[in-house]
Amino acid sequence: AATAPRIPPTRLALHHFDVSYSLQLKDLWPSVRVGLLCEQKYGALLNSFSPVDHIAQELELLNATDFVSEALKKAQRSQRAAAAEMSPPLLASITPNIKCYTFPRGDITRFRPAWPDTLGLLNYYLMDAASLLPVLALSVQLFFLVLDLCAAPGGKTLALLQTGICGHLAANDVSISRTKRLQQIIHSYIPKEIREIVSVTSCDGRDWGELQGGTFHKVLVDVPCTTDRHSVMEEDNNIFHTRRTKERQMLPMLQLQLLMAGILATKPGGEVVYSTCSLSPLQNEYVIE
């Protein structure tokens, strides 16, 4: 055993996905597989607390577009064509304060690192643009109390603050080191007077329903998962490493417990968004069911 060649966890992950996702996605799997193995494309989430007009113009000159406003325009065109009302959640979830620029499909141009403005705030945050979708789905309204139960490293928390309408935002993560990273991001992007509406904690999210039950209008439960792209691309901290097998097998139970805690933390009539960055039904549909 000591001399046997070690199979990299990225290869184990890809083999696992080839077996399971090919059955799930059938003819779609080859193109999804290519997507997982391609270099990651980032979106630039503009910081609405920094003067961003000239930044938006610079990004547009590079042929990047704000996919949030483009989605709204497309929905409005579909609405006119169908002569039907757009559903309220879609209108409510797309606020003019959230702008995220991406390059066209097939263009893997890299955004340059963000730089501070005159107030010392960074002007945009680089993130996987798909990570913005749970925030849009949360559809935060003015003065709502919002909980981001598994907040670190902080992209979704930052996007929630970009709406400018949260009454209070509780950002929690079980990892102390990741919570410190979250606090750094908040300080780098958010002015002091806005930071006062944010509370950052490092608790086990599974206990949150007992700590502050029935408190929040909106709760985001973006749970730990197999993180499919990371699993096939990065050896470091890979959940398909053999020493993390038990942890990986227990993920759906952890996800279920976090979702239940998020539901218990929500006011009657409030809403919970559950999200992962995995294609696995075991971690998505089956947890919900």
Side-chain angles (χ1 to χ4, degrees):
T3 58
R6 183 179 70 88
I7 300 176
T10 50
R11 191 185 303 173
L12 287 174
L14 188 58
H15 173 71
H16 176 84
F17 296 156
D18 278 334
V19 171
S20 58
Y21 292 163
S22 62
L23 294 175
Q24 172 192 342
L25 299 173
K26 298 183 172 58
D27 293 343
L28 290 175
W29 171 235
S31 61
V32 174
R33 189 183 196 271
V34 170
L36 278 179
L37 294 171
C38 283
E39 182 178 355
Q40 185 170 2
K41 283 184 64 170
Y42 287 92
L45 174 68
L46 295 198
N47 186 4
S48 60
F49 300 107
S50 175
V52 294
D53 288 344
H54 70 285
I55 302 300
Q57 293 171 2
E58 288 182 20
L59 296 178
E60 287 167 5
L61 287 173
L62 294 173
N63 201 31
T65 56
D66 172 22
F67 88 87
V68 181
S69 62
E70 288 298 315
L72 180 57
K73 291 175 185 176
K74 184 176 181 180
Q76 289 172 336
R77 287 196 296 268
S78 299
Q79 176 190 8
R80 288 193 294 267
E85 290 188 1
M86 188 187 301
S87 62
L90 182 56
L91 278 173
S93 65
I94 302 180
T95 76
N97 292 336
I98 294 185
K99 298 182 184 297
C100 187
Y101 279 79
T102 57
F103 290 107
R105 184 174 183 176
D107 185 344
I108 58 171
T109 303
R110 307 282 291 197
F111 290 101
R112 62 180 176 82
W115 67 97
D117 61 15
T118 54
L119 299 176
L121 300 176
L122 298 176
N123 44 39
Y124 56 71
Y125 178 78
L126 297 181
M127 64 189 297
D128 189 321
S131 295
L132 199 58
L133 300 180
V135 174
L136 297 175
L138 204 60
S139 186
V140 175
Q141 306 293 310
L142 188 62
F143 302 134
F144 271 14
L145 306 180
V146 183
L147 169 62
D148 188 353
L149 190 61
C150 308
K156 296 179 181 68
T157 298
L158 182 60
L160 285 166
L161 289 170
Q162 295 304 310
T163 64
I165 56 178
C166 294
H168 177 76
L169 175 59
N172 176 74
D173 198 90
V174 68
S175 167
I176 294 176
S177 61
R178 284 165 59 89
T179 303
K180 289 179 179 177
R181 168 65 178 151
L182 168 63
Q183 290 173 321
Q184 290 173 352
I185 288 176
I186 292 173
H187 278 78
S188 298
Y189 288 88
I190 306 300
K192 184 177 180 180
E193 61 272 18
I194 304 298
R195 294 202 298 265
E196 293 177 356
I197 71 165
V198 185
S199 60
V200 178
T201 55
S202 186
C203 305
D204 188 331
R206 293 172 289 185
D207 301 329
W208 197 275
E210 300 172 14
L211 297 172
Q212 295 189 41
T215 302
F216 298 92
H217 298 94
K218 301 279 185 173
V219 175
L220 175 60
V221 185
D222 184 59
V223 294
C225 65
T226 49
T227 320
D228 292 357
R229 181 190 292 278
H230 181 275
S231 293
V232 297
M233 297 292 282
E234 302 289 340
E235 300 291 335
D236 185 47
N237 199 32
N238 194 310
I239 200 165
F240 279 85
H241 195 286
T242 51
R243 65 172 178 266
R244 300 185 69 186
T245 300
K246 187 67 174 179
E247 178 187 354
R248 188 177 74 250
Q249 292 172 342
M250 292 301 293
L251 272 175
M253 178 58 69
L254 171 63
Q255 293 160 345
L256 176 59
Q257 291 169 336
L258 288 167
L259 176 56
M260 291 300 297
I263 292 170
L264 291 173
T266 309
K267 286 177 177 289
E271 292 184 330
V272 178
V273 168
Y274 173 85
S275 61
T276 76
C277 42
S278 170
L279 296 168
S280 167
L282 285 174
Q283 300 174 64
N284 290 293
E285 297 94 317
Y286 294 168
V287 170
I288 301 297
E289 290 173 9

